[in-house]
Amino acid sequence: MYSINETHDINLTSWVASANNGSDFPIQNLPFAIFKRKDSTEPLRGGVAIGDMVVDMAALSDLNLFEGEAKLAVNAAAETSLNRLMDLGSDVNSELRKALSNALKTGSNLQSVIQPILVSQDDIEFSMPCQIGDYTDFYTSIHHATAVGKLFRPDNPLLPNYKWVPIGYHGRSSTIDVSGQMFHRPVGQTKAPDASIPTVGPCKRLDYELEMGAFIGKSTRIGETIPIKNAEDHLFGLCIFNDWSARDIQAWEYQPLGPFLAKNFASTISPWIVTMEALAPFRTAFAHPEDDPAPLPYLESQQNTDNGGLDIDLSCFIETQEMRESGQSMERLADSNFKYSYWTLAQLVTHHASNGCAMRSGDLLGSGTQSGPDHEEAGSLLELSKGGKQPISLSNGETRTFLEDGDSIIMRASCSREGAIAIGFGEVVSTVLPAKTS
Ligand code: MN
C-alpha cells in the first residue's frame, strides 16, 4: 500500500496555474487517460491531467527527459492503451509519479520544455483508457444490497452469504465505453407479475448504478493467489463507473444464475483513472459493524483494518431532455461515499484471485452500487423511487421513477480531507437514446 510522500505535499504547487485553484487535478493528483485532439487523425496516447491541461505522454516520451524506471513507465504511457503501464506495477508507476511531480512543480527547470507539449482539455477527446479483458461487478454496499433485497425478496432481503463472501458476478467488457456514451434503451424479455407469459419490448425500468471502478495493475498467472497484504500492488487506480441496469429485465432473468442481459447493454467509465498512490491521503480505517462476523483470515490484515477504506465523495445528477432544451442546469439526485463499502478493494482483489483466477492488467472491478445508510444516499433510482412506487420530483415539475429517453446521468467523485489537497475524478456522463425500432 502506498504511503504519503513528497508528491502529496500540501505546499506543492504547479507552474500550470489552473492546477492551483481548487481544480480536480492539482499536482497531487496526476490521473491518466487515453486521448487525442478532437476530430483529429492523431494516434491515441496516454495523457496526465494537470489543472485544465493534459501532459501528452507520447510527446513527453519523445523528449527523453526521464531515466530508469520513470523512463520505462513514460514510454509505456505513450502507447495507445494503458495496459502495459498498468502491468509495470506500483513501484515503477510510483517512480513516474515522482518524475512528473518534479517536472510540473513550481520552479521546475523542465517547465520550458514541457510547456509546449501541454494540450488544453477543451481540445481533446477521450478513448477507452485500456483494453478491459474481463469485467467483474461486485455488490459491496450492504445498504444497497438490503434495500434492493427488500424489493426483490421482501421476506429475505439480505442473503446469509453476504457478510462472509464479497458477492460478485462476471460481466461483459464489450459494452463498456468511456464518458460521453450514448446508448439505445435496451429491448428485452420481461414478465409482469400478473401476466401469464413474458413479452419482449423496450425496457420500462431503466436505471443507473453509482459505482467506483478499479483497474487491475500488475497481472497474475492462472493458479496464482494474491495475499491481502499484496492486494493493492495489483491495483492501478480508480474511475467513476455507471453500471446501467434494466430492472424489469433483471427481475425476470436473474434467478438462479444472476445478472445477464439486464446489465450488459451499456456501462460507462469516467475518462481519468486516479492512481492508488494519489488516493493515499484519503484512506480510512475499515471494520465490519460489531455484531457482524469478522472477515475470514484470508480477507483480513492489520493494514486492511487500519487503512483499507477510502473516503471518496460521490454525487449523481440528472439532466433531462426538457432541462437541456430549456437551458436548465442538471439536478442532484443523491450524494454518497465509497467509505460505506462493506468490503475493501484489497478484499475484492484477494477474494477474486483466491481460487487461482488470473487477474490481468486492465481488468475492471466494479464496486457495486454505492448507496449510503440513508435513503437520500441511494445510488440508483430503484432505491430512490422505492421500486418505482414513489416518483421523485424534479424542480422543473418533471417526475421520474425510472429513466426516460433523452435523460443524461452525470456522476462525480472527489476526495477532501483536512491536511491534504483535495483531488477529483472529473465526471462520467452518458445519455439514454430511444429504443431501436425494427
Ligand atoms: Mn452494478
Side-chain angles (χ1 to χ4, degrees), residues 135 137-139 144 169 208-211 241-245 247 259 263 267 366-369:
Y135 154 51
D137 200 21
F138 285 94
Y139 200 46
H144 173 72
Y169 69 93
Y208 59 83
E209 292 190 329
L210 175 59
E211 304 195 19
F241 183 51
N242 183 351
D243 186 26
W244 298 94
S245 298
R247 301 301 183 191
K263 296 284 192 170
S267 305
S367 65
T369 308

Side-chain angles (χ1 to χ4, degrees), residues 146-169:
T146 306
V148 171
K150 268 184 198 149
L151 297 169
F152 281 60
R153 294 176 306 275
D155 49 334
N156 188 20
L158 198 67
L159 296 171
N161 56 4
Y162 190 87
K163 293 181 179 179
W164 297 95
V165 183
I167 300 294
Y169 69 93

Side-chain angles (χ1 to χ4, degrees), residues 229-250:
K229 67 176 169 39
N230 301 339
E232 291 207 10
D233 295 343
H234 295 271
L235 277 178
F236 179 76
L238 306 186
C239 67
I240 319 167
F241 183 51
N242 183 351
D243 186 26
W244 298 94
S245 298
R247 301 301 183 191
D248 45 354
I249 299 171
Q250 183 179 357

Side-chain angles (χ1 to χ4, degrees), residues 298-314:
Y298 78 103
L299 293 177
E300 194 163 50
S301 73
Q302 193 59 48
Q303 194 178 50
N304 194 59
T305 303
D306 293 346
N307 288 306
L310 273 164
D311 184 353
I312 304 175
D313 289 316
L314 307 171

Side-chain angles (χ1 to χ4, degrees), residues 15 63 65 103 107-118:
W15 50 260
L63 288 174
L65 301 171
S108 168
N109 58 8
L110 296 177
Q111 176 175 350
S112 59
V113 281
I114 292 183
Q115 189 110 51
I117 63 161
L118 296 181

Side-chain angles (χ1 to χ4, degrees), residues 57-58 60-62 64 69-79 84-85 88 96:
M57 299 304 277
L60 185 62
S61 168
D62 289 342
N64 204 16
E69 290 184 325
K71 177 176 177 167
L72 204 64
V74 80
N75 292 345
E79 296 180 5
R84 205 167 67 77
L85 178 76
L88 289 174
L96 176 56

